[in-house]
Amino acid sequence: MKTTFRNLVMAAAVLMQTGMAHAEGGAMGVFVATPEQLSVSESASKTVGVSQVNGQSAQVLYGDPTKAGLYTVLLRLDAHKRIMPLSHPDSRFVTVLSGTFYIGFGDKYDQTGLRGLPPGGIYTEPAHVNHFGETRDEPVLVAITGYGPSGTTYANPAEAPKPGK
């Protein structure tokens, strides 16, 4: 099951790069790609449902996270980034494609509660459940799949990233 899900996410990424998939959830072809073949360089500032910390880039692979329906977003985080506790209105699955991502759950950032997930690791983000995370000495690439509409709410609004920061 884990391999099938990972292959579906990678397939969606390649289709988007070749223009074969439709952002609104149109027909999707079959293909296979490795994480090294995926390129994510667009700013995440306009992508709904991600943390918006500086050093993030994102690409919507399928669907539209602002609308009702299935979506997948490929998210790249630079090394040494911290995501403070936040939640989303929709439930999501996250698959680590490259690097090690450290994830924890709760209303306050607690480094002792972080669990490192290597490539192939999967975790869920249940709707309205606060979670937090960080990258360490390497960038991380994850695929987020949910059923929108999505959004992001910080547990402590003062910890939300400021535009351009």
Side-chain angles (χ1 to χ4, degrees):
M1 176 101 164
K2 180 167 52 172
T3 300
T4 301
F5 181 75
R6 191 172 7 167
N7 288 340
L8 285 172
V9 169
M10 286 188 241
V14 172
L15 283 176
M16 286 306 293
Q17 290 176 340
T18 61
M20 295 173 61
H22 300 279
E24 294 300 318
M28 181 184 294
V30 176
F31 64 89
V32 177
T34 65
E36 295 77 25
Q37 293 170 316
L38 302 174
S39 174
V40 181
S41 58
E42 298 175 22
S43 169
S45 64
K46 295 180 183 174
T47 304
V48 170
V50 298
S51 65
Q52 302 299 330
V53 299
N54 186 29
Q56 260 186 7
S57 51
Q59 182 175 352
V60 176
L61 302 178
Y62 186 80
D64 182 345
T66 68
K67 297 179 180 173
L70 184 67
Y71 68 87
T72 297
V73 172
L74 193 62
L75 180 68
R76 182 185 183 283
L77 284 155
D78 288 344
H80 304 288
K81 294 298 171 182
R82 180 174 283 181
I83 299 170
M84 299 309 286
L86 53 78
S87 67
H88 310 283
D90 58 317
S91 295
R92 300 132 56 105
F93 286 93
V94 181
T95 303
V96 179
L97 299 176
S98 66
T100 300
F101 187 62
Y102 296 84
I103 183 73
F105 293 86
D107 297 337
K108 298 207 182 296
Y109 192 92
D110 174 13
Q111 194 161 18
T112 64
L114 291 171
R115 179 171 176 194
L117 293 176
I122 294 176
Y123 69 94
T124 60
E125 296 175 351
H128 306 289
V129 172
N130 286 324
H131 54 280
F132 51 89
E134 71 179 34
T135 60
R136 294 190 181 161
D137 294 333
E138 61 187 339
V140 171
L141 183 65
V142 299
I144 302 167
T145 299
Y147 192 91
S150 192
T152 301
T153 302
Y154 275 83
N156 178 353
E159 294 177 332
K162 309 296 183 254
K165 299 268 179 188

